[in-house]
Amino acid sequence: MKIMECETYEELSQTAASIVGDTIKKNSGAVLGLATGGTPEGTYRELIRLHQTENLSFQNVTTVNLDEYAGLSSDDPNSYHHYMNHRFFQHIDSQPSRHFIPNGHADDLESECRRYEQLVKSLGGTDIQLLGIGRNGHIGFNEPGTPFQSRTHIVTLNEQTRQANARYFSSIDSVPTQALTMGIQTILSSKRILLLISGKSKAEAAKKLLEGDISEDFPASALHLHTDVTVLMDREAASLRH
Ligand code: F6R
């Protein structure tokens, strides 16, 4: 696991975008594994800037998102489909037919999970997977206790995660109780993983990841089992290290 400490969130975002940009420059048809939430917003802003001012093209790129809420249609403003369209896809030249996000509105969510897992496999896995981390160590929506062998599955969101995500909804009651997420094994099948950790509220999780045991009680610890993981942390996130 390679650790890179950045001074600020802006520096972290620029570094992440430049790593993703280099992946695309080396392979214009790269498969990017993408995340939502607050942490990667700066990375998307910086990738858009690279597209607009430095001709970084996403024309041949395929994108595969980690997760989606169950029960929200793709045009629901709180869906991850909406997040990705508005914060990233609308501003770049990628092909909508090559954007993949689990369908949280499918009639049969179990079969949607199987379809999504098969899709990721058929793409040969992702070339680089962008990840954030929850305060409880979740990656994607894989909450503590999720088996490391898990593939794309339905999860019941725990209260802490619903509370953390309630800031995007009108009230905690409108936060869905379930989601579809790539499993831990699906995430580990990526060729390279880029984990972003930002802010004081994540310092405890960062310390646990870097200094704690590998355990299903702390899902992000599974990343120690992968051979090409880069962790980008800002100063606040790194404040409890050592
Ligand atoms: C988002 C995702 C989640 C977030 C995590 C951190 O697609 O899979 O694991 O990365 O909840 O969220 P933020 O960045 O909002 O703190």
Side-chain angles (χ1 to χ4, degrees):
M1 189 173 269
K2 183 176 166 199
I3 319 293
M4 292 173 77
E5 271 189 40
C6 303
E7 205 46 41
T8 61
Y9 175 70
E10 286 65 38
E11 192 187 326
L12 174 147
S13 301
Q14 282 160 9
T15 309
S18 114
I19 292 172
V20 174
D22 285 349
T23 305
I24 299 169
K25 282 179 204 154
K26 277 195 208 117
N27 171 12
S28 66
V31 180
L32 308 180
L34 300 179
T36 59
T39 314
E41 285 186 7
T43 305
Y44 294 136
R45 278 197 294 273
E46 179 61 16
L47 282 169
I48 293 166
R49 193 193 65 76
L50 292 175
H51 168 64
Q52 291 172 343
T53 64
E54 295 186 23
N55 293 325
L56 178 66
S57 174
F58 296 82
Q59 191 97 45
N60 299 316
V61 156
T62 296
T63 65
V64 189
N65 265 74
L66 279 171
D67 43 20
E68 177 60 286
Y69 289 114
L72 299 191
S73 64
S74 57
D75 53 5
D76 188 299
N78 288 311
S79 70
Y80 287 168
H81 278 78
H82 190 272
Y83 172 114
M84 291 308 302
N85 285 333
H86 286 259
R87 289 183 172 76
F88 192 37
F89 297 148
Q90 276 181 4
H91 309 280
I92 56 173
D93 61 343
S94 57
Q95 307 289 317
S97 60
R98 284 206 284 267
H99 300 155
F100 299 104
I101 304 179
N103 177 8
H105 215 230
D107 289 335
D108 181 345
L109 294 178
E110 292 283 358
S111 96
E112 171 60 9
C113 289
R114 285 192 295 275
R115 182 195 72 83
Y116 202 72
E117 185 66 30
Q118 197 47 46
L119 170 85
V120 176
K121 214 169 275 171
S122 71
L123 293 170
T126 55
D127 290 300
I128 186 161
Q129 176 68 56
L130 207 57
L131 290 181
I133 187 172
R135 291 171 64 179
N136 62 4
H138 75 221
I139 48 174
F141 271 130
N142 296 287
E143 302 285 17
T146 306
F148 283 173
Q149 290 310 314
S150 54
R151 299 281 177 175
T152 304
H153 61 122
I154 305 171
V155 291
T156 296
L157 301 177
N158 73 24
E159 255 338 277
Q160 194 187 11
T161 300
R162 292 185 68 238
Q163 291 284 355
N165 291 0
R167 65 192 194 274
Y168 295 109
F169 292 81
S170 54
S171 74
I172 177 79
D173 295 336
S174 350
V175 183
T177 53
Q178 289 195 310
L180 309 190
T181 182
M182 282 188 193
I184 293 180
Q185 204 51 232
T186 325
I187 292 171
L188 293 180
S189 72
S190 180
K191 296 182 186 73
R192 182 173 185 194
I193 294 175
L194 185 56
L195 170 64
L196 311 182
I197 317 184
S198 168
K200 258 204 191 92
S201 67
K202 299 292 175 65
E204 200 71 59
K207 181 179 166 72
K208 214 159 173 187
L209 170 68
L210 301 181
E211 297 170 18
D213 296 335
I214 299 178
S215 155
E216 289 179 356
D217 292 338
F218 193 76
S221 66
L223 300 177
H224 289 289
L225 306 173
H226 192 280
T227 52
D228 193 354
V229 176
T230 302
V231 181
L232 279 179
M233 316 167 71
D234 60 17
R235 194 155 49 94
E236 288 188 347
S239 59
L240 297 179
R241 278 187 76 197
H242 316 300

